[in-house]
């Protein structure tokens, strides 16, 4: 399959993995629409991609915002949803309210977006979970639960929404602006430590995730899959 001329919506496409996906899709001459909550980030992303792209703000925690967005866009060929805020911390430290907020953002954000969208038959939806869904660690209970819920949703929708194809990407540690709040030395130490523990000897780049997202859009025999892009972290 080719995505040349196809309409691709990337929610969370203003930075990080979403931006890398939008760039990869635009390079294949698809018509790309990126969205996110920050108008400034969207403007910056537009400047980076330059062609074959439009940008509109949307809030995945607000169904009315999503419905308005997708009414304007009409039928689309591919939907990618990378956005969502999660909460880290020990089970006893993360409040129920914080855990609910994480589920509302990352899980129900993707749930809402799919409900609001009109994806053409034979098109695709790509969701994002994370490797902790199947290899949890101490201090990740809320994140693990949210990621596992996303994966369950993806597999159920692959059956219910067919012939629309639905797949899930489960990234490991990826160098993105999500970690920009950390001091440079602390962030680099985290990357170096993770790289030493991984079979591939390095942490991921946003472009690594984009390559898999592009494959899922263009491979007509892929649906109901959970694709680990984690450098082998689930094995060590």
């Amino acid at each position: 399959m080719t995505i040349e001329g196809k309409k691709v919506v990337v929610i969370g496409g203003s930075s990080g993995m979403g931006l890398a996906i939008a760039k990869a899709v635009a390079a294949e001459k698809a018509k790309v629409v990126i969205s996110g909550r920050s108008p400034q980030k969207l403007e910056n992303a537009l400047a980076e991609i330059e062609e074959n792209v439009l940008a509109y703000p949307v809030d995945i925690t607000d169904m009315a915002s999503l419905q308005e967005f997708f009414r304007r866009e009409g039928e689309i060929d591919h939907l990618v949803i990378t956005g969502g805020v999660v909460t880290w911390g020990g089970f006893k430290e993360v409040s129920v309210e914080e855990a609910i907020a994480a589920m509302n953002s990352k899980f129900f954000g993707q749930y809402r977006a799919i409900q609001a969208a009109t994806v053409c038959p034979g098109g695709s939806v790509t969701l994002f979970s994370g490797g902790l869904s199947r290899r949890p660690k101490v201090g990740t209970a809320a994140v693990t639960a949210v990621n596992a819920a996303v994966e369950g949703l993806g597999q159920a929708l692959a059956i219910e929404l067919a012939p629309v194809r639905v797949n899930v990407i489960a990234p490991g540690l990826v160098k993105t602006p999500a970690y920009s709040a950390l001091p440079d030395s602390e962030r680099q130490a985290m990357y170096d430590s993770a790289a030493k523990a991984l079979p591939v000897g390095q942490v991921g780049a946003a472009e690594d995730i984009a390559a898999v997202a592009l494959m899922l859009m263009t491979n007509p025999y892929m649906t109901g899959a959970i694709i680990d892009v984690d450098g082998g972290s689930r094995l060590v």
Side-chain angles (χ1 to χ4, degrees), residues 50-86:
E50 295 183 347
E51 58 184 355
N52 300 325
V53 63
L54 298 172
Y56 302 102
V58 72
D59 182 356
I60 62 172
T61 66
D62 182 347
M63 189 62 174
S65 173
L66 284 161
Q67 288 172 334
E68 179 183 358
F69 174 82
F70 283 109
R71 271 197 300 268
R72 180 180 58 244
E73 296 310 318
E75 187 175 71
I76 64 174
D77 296 289
H78 302 284
L79 172 62
V80 181
I81 314 163
T82 68
V85 178
V86 294

Side-chain angles (χ1 to χ4, degrees), residues 109-217:
Q110 298 189 75
Y111 193 109
R112 291 184 193 96
I114 300 166
Q115 275 202 341
T118 302
V119 181
C120 70
S124 75
V125 175
T126 302
L127 306 180
F128 271 68
S129 63
L132 291 170
S133 60
R134 279 154 294 142
R135 184 148 188 187
K137 300 178 181 179
V138 173
T140 68
V143 181
T144 294
V146 171
N147 287 341
V150 170
E151 292 175 3
L153 177 66
Q155 292 185 318
L157 293 184
I159 298 170
E160 185 165 344
L161 299 185
V164 173
R165 298 178 296 104
V166 184
N167 295 288
V168 183
I169 294 177
L173 180 61
V174 178
K175 292 182 180 180
T176 73
Y179 304 104
S180 60
L182 293 174
D184 291 348
S185 59
E186 186 177 336
R187 183 171 61 253
Q188 190 57 51
M190 176 183 70
Y191 291 150
D192 291 344
S193 175
K196 289 177 182 177
L198 291 173
V200 296
Q202 63 185 30
V203 298
E207 292 74 18
D208 300 326
I209 309 303
V212 175
L214 188 60
M215 180 274 292
L216 291 175
M217 284 182 242

Side-chain angles (χ1 to χ4, degrees), residues 5-29:
K6 302 295 186 180
K7 190 170 189 177
V8 181
V9 170
V10 183
I11 297 180
S14 62
S15 66
M17 293 181 285
L19 178 56
I21 293 168
K23 287 180 177 179
V25 170
E28 295 294 322
K29 299 183 180 178

